[in-house]
Amino acid sequence: MAVGPGKLPEFYPVRGCRLGIASAGIKKPGRKDLVVLELSEGSQVAGIFTRNRFCAAPVILTRQHMAQAASRYLLINTGNANAGTGEKGLNDARACCEALAREAGVDAARVLPFSTGVIGEPLPVDKIVKGIPEALRNLSENHWAEAASGIMTTDTRPKGATRRLELNGKTVTISGISKGAGMIRPNMATMLGFIATDADVEPELLDSLASELGEKSFNRITIDGDTSTNDACMLIATGTSEAETITRNSSSLAAFRAALEEVFLELAHAIVRDGEGATKFVTIDVSQAASQQEALDVAYTVAHSPLVKTALFASDPNWGRILAAVGRSGIDDLDVNRLAIWLGDVCLVRDGGRAGDYSEERGQAVMDQEEITIRIELGRGPVNETVWTCDFSHDYVTINAEYRT
Amino acid sequence: MAVGPGKLPEFYPVRGCRLGIASAGIKKPGRKDLVVLELSEGSQVAGIFTRNRFCAAPVILTRQHMAQAASRYLLINTGNANAGTGEKGLNDARACCEALAREAGVDAARVLPFSTGVIGEPLPVDKIVKGIPEALRNLSENHWAEAASGIMTTDTRPKGATRRLELNGKTVTISGISKGAGMIRPNMATMLGFIATDADVEPELLDSLASELGEKSFNRITIDGDTSTNDACMLIATGTSEAETITRNSSSLAAFRAALEEVFLELAHAIVRDGEGATKFVTIDVSQAASQQEALDVAYTVAHSPLVKTALFASDPNWGRILAAVGRSGIDDLDVNRLAIWLGDVCLVRDGGRAGDYSEERGQAVMDQEEITIRIELGRGPVNETVWTCDFSHDYVTINAEYRT
């Protein structure tokens, strides 16, 4: 089950970024489960990572390697998260990086490892090491679609976005793939995003674009509130385009930033649309908040309410559940009489109760749609925040309650 | 579906507390949906209420009346929560209190209203007013069981607890009933608890016992994290027993407090055992926390994790999900190497990873039980907290996703 059309775009290749795919037999024989990204010398890499305190070995090592050297390779495996594996997990991740480094003739610190899949099982290092040469053999700038499939775990479809734009007469390309956030036992499947551009971007600017856009996209989506131990979103700039270097003062920054934001949002939304058992794509807009924190508290309280999510699954305009979720979201001095709640263009709640002009029929008409916006006006200040989520279906329980086999 | 035996006890009557039941036809004809508690003159009443900012009209009015006068009557209706009803809801609740007050010949401020059921629908005042005389006619100290059924909404069974103890040679009785926390559309069903004792308790002491024991019981249970707009737990002391007045310095306080705590816990746990779709009764013990806040944050993050709850439903010892929930529970300086997680008597996590002596078989043996304890040792300080919850089943989704009929 997934919401909306899920077709991959025709990816524009990004010069300086080649992708290789292999079947290492981690999950099942023949399944593509290993992906290598090779970045041309001089590429810049920025990243944002999970905030879970149980941060997986590959995340720890990727941070270390990024601090030590300029990255040349990203090594991604599915089927095993190498999380909750303690010291051994770090050594296993290191061993995989070293194997790729040997094959490619670079320092191991120039390889960044990413893993997604089962938690707490030892990483099958031998299988991964055996698979690396195959992945390196088929490196190509035209393998974005294959890579999008190669990083999938429980995703029902690959996810990608691509853009091409002109900056002062020169062409710049942005392509990206993402996966997650399906979470089936015993996996805590992971949210991964890899976005590459051939633009030449000033390193500090690239870092702040990754954090800022990642915050507004990958950090604003939620399926069930559970946070993986392995989440990572990487932003790569190969600098191979002929467009001039983009700095904070470049006239071209605005256009580049806008296109990059589109790619981040498209990849993040694709994860929600493919959320486990999802039948609805839900946008939760909180406005007129006194602070960003309270805007996010309200948005996530509504987004995570099992009662709201099951009502969405049932296409039930159950405004009482939204109202109650807002009421318990932690704003002590919330004035319920200044608050308004909208379902699409239908006002549900006003003056502390059901809106006078609300009718079941009008609410139902919005709820019957596959894409729904819940708007909450707090009447407290100037801050607004948006998060995206999906509904809570029987399939979610089925997927997550499956017995081990 | 419900966990454990759900038989009502043989209630000990509490002298000075009579209960009357009526069918007002609020939900369906013939269904007992109206309950009146009559308290003898001189009774003391304490209460704790929902923290939801959308606090229902009856909760607002009960607080007002308790501040104005000594309570003589509690008026409880099911089928309609009189919540999200604005000013009209307050007038409707007031009208019901006045009707009962006229019949009983007392001031309306001596009547406390409680409602549970549909949110946002006008309270059927006429039906309630018509039902009051019937409820008053059958007032009896022996109607605890009937009242336990009369306050049910989506509960699959009535809930009660009763104790009798000797304090310095004199008999003291405690009896109580509770309902909730089923929540079916369009209800936000409510958690209600009514506990009466014939002990004579100093008013300030009664207040602090209600808050303290309510905090450790009704405020430590969660089905799905959603908080009703109508929750209330009332503690009544009629003072009709011959035992001497209980004060902070009474030698009898410890024994009385212990018995009262048993009743609070039994009533609170009964709500979890009857949680919507519940197949497991889960105790979450967090110990070695640096503060009460972080202990509760960890406990509730685990208790509310849909991944943990669906794993419990599947009897799946999926320790990775518990570990990940602890990791995201908001303790920034959590040292995962000092943390330990136990499932019953089986250690799941130690030294930042799966415990060396853990085996799937041992974990499965605990998970197969109907009552499960998850113990989390944070290794940070002296504080411990306990919360109780249930699992997340297909029935939960079915119940909460039912279409309106």
Side-chain angles (χ1 to χ4, degrees):
Chain A
M1 201 64 203
V3 184
K7 231 177 129 301
L8 280 179
E10 277 300 326
F11 285 96
Y12 299 115
V14 176
R15 201 141 57 76
C17 178
R18 302 198 301 160
L19 307 97
I21 304 89
S23 302
I26 299 169
K27 286 170 85 172
K28 46 179 101 78
R31 153 84 150 96
K32 301 291 184 196
D33 51 18
L34 200 64
V35 173
V36 170
L37 269 68
E38 180 197 64
L39 315 181
S40 56
E41 195 64 64
S43 295
Q44 302 289 345
V45 179
I48 59 172
F49 303 94
T50 181
R51 293 167 184 168
N52 196 302
R53 296 300 305 164
F54 277 99
C55 155
V59 175
I60 296 169
L61 202 59
T62 285
R63 290 170 168 283
Q64 286 177 8
H65 284 184
M66 286 176 75
Q68 287 168 27
S71 311
R72 284 295 309 284
Y73 291 91
L74 280 62
L75 173 62
I76 309 145
N77 74 273
T78 71
N80 184 302
N82 192 13
T85 45
E87 194 56 35
K88 180 184 188 323
L90 277 171
N91 297 329
D92 290 347
R94 219 172 269 118
C96 295
C97 293
E98 282 158 2
L100 172 49
R102 271 194 307 276
E103 293 281 335
V106 299
D107 186 287
R110 306 191 72 178
V111 181
L112 308 181
F114 302 86
S115 298
T116 175
V118 187
I119 272 193
E121 303 295 332
L123 189 71
V125 176
D126 297 351
K127 289 178 175 178
I128 292 172
V129 169
K130 279 203 195 66
I132 288 173
E134 177 191 344
L136 292 177
R137 271 196 303 277
N138 65 52
L139 283 169
S140 158
E141 289 181 355
N142 300 312
H143 278 168
W144 281 97
E146 293 76 358
S149 303
I151 64 173
M152 286 168 60
T153 48
T154 60
D155 307 60
T156 69
R157 56 198 196 187
K159 301 160 179 64
T162 189
R163 291 289 187 282
R164 184 172 274 172
L165 66 157
E166 298 284 310
L167 298 181
N168 310 324
K170 307 292 185 188
T171 301
V172 164
T173 303
I174 305 169
S175 288
I177 56 176
S178 65
K179 57 100 15 188
M183 309 191 185
I184 78 160
R185 178 215 52 65
N187 311 19
M188 283 277 313
T190 292
M191 199 161 74
L192 291 178
F194 301 96
I195 297 138
T197 177
D198 56 5
D200 181 21
V201 185
E202 190 186 40
E204 297 67 27
L205 177 58
L206 193 72
D207 287 337
S208 64
L209 283 171
S211 335
E212 178 206 344
L213 298 181
E215 185 66 24
K216 292 173 66 176
S217 57
F218 289 95
N219 285 344
R220 289 291 181 273
I221 61 174
T222 177
I223 307 298
D224 53 17
D226 276 293
T227 310
S228 159
T229 51
N230 294 53
D231 293 338
C233 172
M234 308 303 292
L235 176 58
I236 297 153
T238 63
T240 52
S241 118
E242 286 158 1
E244 62 192 8
T245 303
I246 302 175
T247 71
R248 295 199 168 285
N249 308 320
S250 303
S251 59
S252 56
L253 175 56
F256 176 71
R257 200 189 157 297
L260 195 59
E261 179 168 4
E262 285 177 19
V263 170
F264 268 78
L265 281 174
E266 219 170 289
L267 292 174
H269 291 177
I271 290 171
V272 175
R273 292 173 181 281
D274 195 23
E276 283 176 337
T279 73
K280 304 271 187 186
F281 178 75
V282 184
T283 302
I284 299 177
D285 271 319
V286 176
S287 58
Q288 302 173 13
S291 70
Q292 183 187 46
Q293 191 52 57
E294 78 176 27
L296 290 175
D297 287 345
V298 170
Y300 281 120
T301 304
V302 173
H304 292 153
S305 161
L307 289 173
V308 172
K309 289 169 97 70
T310 46
L312 285 161
F313 170 54
S315 297
D316 170 10
N318 193 322
W319 58 275
R321 294 184 180 179
I322 303 172
L323 171 148
V326 172
R328 70 177 167 87
S329 58
I331 305 178
D332 292 337
D333 59 346
L334 177 67
D335 178 352
V336 299
N337 296 309
R338 303 195 52 189
L339 179 136
I341 301 175
W342 299 72
L343 191 65
D345 57 355
V346 177
C347 186
L348 303 177
V349 173
R350 202 188 280 113
D351 305 323
R354 181 167 56 184
D357 56 350
Y358 174 76
S359 77
E360 192 72 14
E361 297 59 37
R362 299 181 61 223
Q364 191 63 61
V366 178
M367 263 299 179
D368 289 339
Q369 297 160 21
E370 205 178 45
E371 310 213 354
I372 294 170
T373 297
I374 298 173
R375 216 166 83 237
I376 300 157
E377 299 171 350
L378 294 175
R380 294 167 54 82
V383 183
N384 59 293
E385 278 288 343
T386 302
V387 308
W388 296 273
T389 190
C390 57
D391 59 331
F392 220 150
S393 68
H394 278 293
D395 286 356
Y396 179 90
V397 176
T398 303
I399 293 165
N400 287 295
E402 273 176 351
Y403 284 76
R404 307 200 188 203
T405 46
Chain B
M1 201 62 205
V3 185
K7 227 176 132 304
L8 280 179
E10 278 298 326
F11 285 96
Y12 300 114
V14 175
R15 203 142 56 80
C17 178
R18 300 198 302 162
L19 307 99
I21 304 89
S23 302
I26 300 170
K27 284 169 87 171
K28 46 180 102 73
R31 154 88 150 88
K32 300 293 184 195
D33 52 16
L34 199 65
V35 173
V36 170
L37 269 68
E38 179 197 66
L39 315 181
S40 56
E41 195 65 66
S43 295
Q44 303 289 344
V45 178
I48 60 173
F49 303 94
T50 181
R51 293 166 184 170
N52 195 304
R53 295 303 305 165
F54 277 98
C55 168
V59 174
I60 296 168
L61 201 59
T62 285
R63 288 170 169 285
Q64 286 178 8
H65 284 184
M66 286 175 75
Q68 288 168 27
S71 310
R72 285 294 311 282
Y73 291 90
L74 281 63
L75 173 62
I76 310 145
N77 76 273
T78 70
N80 184 303
N82 192 13
T85 46
E87 194 56 35
K88 180 183 189 322
L90 276 171
N91 296 331
D92 290 347
R94 215 174 269 115
C96 295
C97 293
E98 282 158 2
L100 172 49
R102 271 194 307 277
E103 293 282 335
V106 299
D107 187 288
R110 305 192 73 180
V111 181
L112 308 181
F114 302 86
S115 298
T116 175
V118 187
I119 274 193
E121 303 293 334
L123 189 71
V125 176
D126 297 350
K127 289 178 174 178
I128 293 172
V129 169
K130 280 206 194 65
I132 288 173
E134 177 192 343
L136 291 177
R137 271 198 304 278
N138 65 51
L139 283 170
S140 158
E141 290 180 355
N142 300 313
H143 276 169
W144 281 97
E146 293 77 359
S149 302
I151 63 172
M152 286 168 59
T153 48
T154 60
D155 306 60
T156 68
R157 57 198 196 189
K159 301 160 180 61
T162 189
R163 292 288 188 282
R164 185 171 274 171
L165 66 159
E166 297 287 310
L167 298 181
N168 309 324
K170 307 290 185 189
T171 302
V172 164
T173 303
I174 306 169
S175 288
I177 56 178
S178 65
K179 60 107 3 195
M183 310 193 184
I184 78 161
R185 178 216 49 66
N187 311 18
M188 281 278 314
T190 291
M191 199 161 73
L192 290 178
F194 301 96
I195 298 138
T197 177
D198 55 7
D200 181 20
V201 184
E202 188 186 42
E204 297 69 26
L205 177 59
L206 193 73
D207 286 337
S208 64
L209 283 171
S211 335
E212 179 204 343
L213 298 181
E215 186 66 23
K216 293 173 64 176
S217 57
F218 289 95
N219 285 343
R220 290 290 182 274
I221 62 174
T222 177
I223 306 299
D224 53 16
D226 275 295
T227 310
S228 157
T229 51
N230 295 54
D231 293 338
C233 171
M234 309 303 292
L235 175 57
I236 297 153
T238 63
T240 53
S241 120
E242 286 158 3
E244 64 192 8
T245 304
I246 302 175
T247 70
R248 295 197 168 286
N249 310 320
S250 303
S251 59
S252 56
L253 174 56
F256 176 71
R257 201 189 157 297
L260 196 58
E261 179 168 3
E262 285 176 17
V263 170
F264 269 78
L265 281 172
E266 217 169 292
L267 292 174
H269 291 176
I271 291 170
V272 175
R273 293 174 180 280
D274 195 23
E276 283 176 337
T279 72
K280 304 270 186 186
F281 178 76
V282 185
T283 302
I284 299 178
D285 270 321
V286 176
S287 58
Q288 303 173 10
S291 70
Q292 183 187 44
Q293 191 51 59
E294 77 175 28
L296 291 175
D297 287 345
V298 170
Y300 282 120
T301 304
V302 173
H304 292 153
S305 163
L307 289 173
V308 171
K309 290 169 97 69
T310 46
L312 285 162
F313 170 55
S315 297
D316 171 11
N318 194 322
W319 58 274
R321 293 183 180 178
I322 303 171
L323 171 148
V326 172
R328 70 177 168 86
S329 58
I331 306 178
D332 292 337
D333 59 346
L334 178 66
D335 178 353
V336 299
N337 296 310
R338 301 194 54 190
L339 178 135
I341 301 175
W342 299 72
L343 190 65
D345 57 355
V346 176
C347 187
L348 303 177
V349 173
R350 201 188 281 115
D351 305 326
R354 179 166 59 183
D357 57 347
Y358 174 77
S359 77
E360 191 71 14
E361 297 61 37
R362 299 179 62 220
Q364 191 62 61
V366 178
M367 263 299 180
D368 289 339
Q369 296 161 24
E370 205 178 45
E371 311 213 353
I372 294 170
T373 297
I374 298 173
R375 219 167 80 234
I376 300 157
E377 299 171 350
L378 294 175
R380 295 168 54 83
V383 182
N384 59 293
E385 279 289 342
T386 303
V387 308
W388 295 273
T389 191
C390 57
D391 59 332
F392 224 147
S393 68
H394 278 294
D395 287 356
Y396 179 89
V397 176
T398 304
I399 293 166
N400 287 295
E402 273 175 349
Y403 285 77
R404 306 202 190 201
T405 46

